[in-house]
Amino acid sequence: MSERGLGRQFGWLWTSYAVSTVGTWFAFDAFPLIAILVLHSGPGQVSLLAAIGLAVGAVVAIPLGPWVEFRRKIPVMIGMDLVRFVALATIPLAYWLGRLSFLQLVVVSVVVGAADNAFTAATGAVMKAVVPRSRLVVATGRFESTTWTATMIGPPLGGASIGLFGPVVTVVVDAVSYLLSALSVRAIRLRESPPVRRTERLRPADLLDGWRYILEHPSLRLLFFNGVLTSGLIMATAPLLAVLMLGELGFAPWQYALAFGLPCIGGLIGSRLSAPLAARFGSHRVLMVTGWLRAFWLLGLAFVQPGVVGLLTVILVELGLITCMGIFMPLFAAYRLTETPDDRVARTLSAWSISSKAVIALMTALWGVLAAATTPRIAVAAAGTLILATPLLLPRRTQITVDR
């Protein structure tokens, strides 16, 4: 439960994150699959489900950042876990009663998305409270390695479970994971003083406090634009690569899954190397080098060819990209927490998450239009070319103290 030098309270926090993350990736693409297999929805409805859930969830989450900031974080985290459990539990219940509808899938995706944002914002504040500053890179690295491990094993197991037990089994597992997460959060022993605020009523200006702080901080501002643009360009290519590989290039579904599942081991390795590399070479140098390196891989996916060589190309390109991300992300997350005052953590993380989701949704839509007007390969090449400019937004100073 406790990692060396991080303490038992972090162990419970990490357990909460781990069980909910595994549940989320186990249920990866559960809603689109349910829409297709149960409700017989077409491509337009499935795309609409993804877009509405992401966009509306981000809008609903805007007032949650300030709301979380001025409340004790442990009760907020438990509450968000319970909200997600109840929302997801309505899906199998409605399915078994024969009352499941497309509208219900949309509403649940919005509720879960907004609760995710609030939970993540509160988690950052709790992590900063229970982890020593010099161990933040190690702690964020543990979260990152957990994410990549869940990404690697969750979807294949979830897909197999759907084949064996039906379309809603992964949603049941995901819902239960939030109950287990709530129990883990409840075990955290953290004395939280009541947050102090100037007024009891949430003011319109409070909604923008997270963005205001990010944009006023010279280094965080650059990291913010670098991060949202990089993630937006990478994620915008995901559906295009699926169309390219499964359509034009004729790869089998298992080959496509292998091409994007196997390289996740690079994220696991990179996240474990992040703290030792930063301790040896300096956090800023490692952040800059991996920030530059991660921008050079995406363009390679535009040159994928059919056959074994093409499959190996995708695996190697994704492995390089994900390994760089695995090293970069813990340093970035630790620096963001270090530079954000304790009374602004929730608002800052919430604003960052909302912006990232909004940019991913926008870029995914734009790149879909570009692919329709040209070809998926040209659209991937455009994203790979534009991402080469994102390292110019990396800040010149981000040094933080790192213990191994």
Side-chain angles (χ1 to χ4, degrees):
M1 286 299 302
S2 61
E3 186 75 8
R4 184 180 61 214
L6 293 176
R8 181 172 295 276
Q9 306 317 314
F10 172 77
W12 286 116
L13 183 66
W14 187 16
T15 301
S16 164
Y17 179 81
V19 294
S20 61
T21 301
V22 169
T24 297
W25 282 100
F26 186 81
F28 181 70
D29 273 350
F31 280 21
L33 287 174
I34 291 173
I36 294 168
L37 298 176
V38 178
L39 303 178
H40 308 293
S41 302
Q45 285 182 302
V46 173
S47 299
L48 182 65
L49 174 62
I52 290 180
L54 196 62
V56 179
V59 172
V60 171
I62 290 176
L64 289 180
W67 181 83
V68 172
E69 194 76 81
F70 300 113
R71 280 162 178 80
R72 290 184 175 92
K73 306 306 182 290
I74 298 298
V76 167
M77 294 172 68
I78 294 173
M80 293 303 103
D81 272 335
L82 295 179
V83 166
R84 291 183 288 187
F85 165 74
V86 171
L88 287 172
T90 65
I91 299 296
L93 180 61
Y95 171 75
W96 292 325
L97 293 175
R99 304 298 296 261
L100 186 62
S101 67
F102 183 81
L103 178 61
Q104 183 179 356
L105 291 180
V106 172
V107 172
V108 171
S109 67
V110 170
V111 171
V112 171
D116 283 345
N117 187 281
F119 184 91
T120 300
T123 299
V126 173
M127 179 184 287
K128 191 173 182 182
V130 301
V131 176
R133 178 170 177 160
S134 61
R135 301 289 288 169
L136 277 174
V137 174
V138 178
T140 54
R142 297 299 178 265
F143 274 46
E144 187 74 8
S145 64
T146 301
T147 298
W148 288 113
T149 302
T151 305
M152 184 167 49
I153 66 175
L157 292 177
S161 298
I162 288 175
L164 291 172
F165 304 111
V168 299
V169 63
T170 57
V171 178
V172 174
V173 173
D174 194 17
V176 172
S177 76
Y178 291 122
L179 276 185
L180 297 176
S181 172
L183 292 174
S184 299
V185 173
R186 192 174 185 276
I188 298 173
R189 296 294 177 259
L190 177 63
R191 293 184 178 180
E192 295 187 86
S193 301
V196 179
R197 60 175 301 161
R198 293 183 298 273
T199 62
E200 291 296 325
R201 183 175 299 177
L202 185 66
R203 302 171 304 165
D206 292 334
L207 303 179
L208 303 178
D209 275 348
W211 285 281
R212 187 178 298 113
Y213 179 74
I214 293 170
L215 297 178
E216 289 175 353
H217 192 291
S219 295
L220 287 182
R221 178 173 64 244
L222 291 174
L223 278 174
F224 173 75
F225 288 117
N226 172 272
V228 297
L229 290 174
T230 299
S231 61
L233 288 168
I234 291 173
M235 295 304 296
T237 64
L240 308 182
L241 287 167
V243 173
L244 178 63
M245 292 181 66
L246 297 173
E248 177 183 331
L249 301 180
F251 287 101
W254 71 267
Q255 292 175 311
Y256 173 78
L258 178 67
F260 290 96
L262 186 60
C264 290
I265 195 171
L268 177 60
I269 294 171
S271 59
R272 302 294 290 192
L273 290 175
S274 186
L277 288 174
R280 180 172 181 178
F281 299 106
S283 62
H284 178 70
R285 180 181 298 177
V286 176
L287 187 76
M288 291 294 291
V289 170
T290 54
W292 275 93
L293 288 177
R294 69 173 181 165
F296 285 92
W297 295 97
L298 190 62
L299 186 58
L301 295 175
F303 302 97
V304 175
Q305 300 299 318
V308 175
V309 174
L311 182 63
L312 290 176
T313 299
V314 176
I315 291 175
L316 290 175
V317 169
E318 288 290 322
L319 180 63
L321 173 63
I322 292 173
T323 301
C324 291
M325 291 173 62
I327 299 173
F328 178 91
M329 292 304 294
L331 295 169
F332 149 73
Y335 178 77
R336 182 174 60 182
L337 285 176
T338 300
E339 292 298 305
T340 305
D342 293 348
D343 62 348
R344 288 179 178 267
V345 171
R347 283 172 288 179
T348 300
L349 294 184
S350 179
W352 208 298
S353 177
I354 291 168
S355 301
S356 182
K357 291 178 180 178
V359 170
I360 288 172
L362 176 61
M363 286 193 168
T364 300
L366 290 177
W367 256 254
V369 173
L370 177 60
T374 56
T375 66
R377 192 183 296 274
I378 291 176
V380 172
T385 301
L386 288 175
I387 203 173
L388 294 174
T390 57
L392 298 175
L393 294 170
L394 291 171
R396 295 184 179 182
R397 296 181 180 180
T398 58
Q399 195 66 33
I400 55 176
T401 302
V402 179
D403 289 345
R404 289 178 184 270

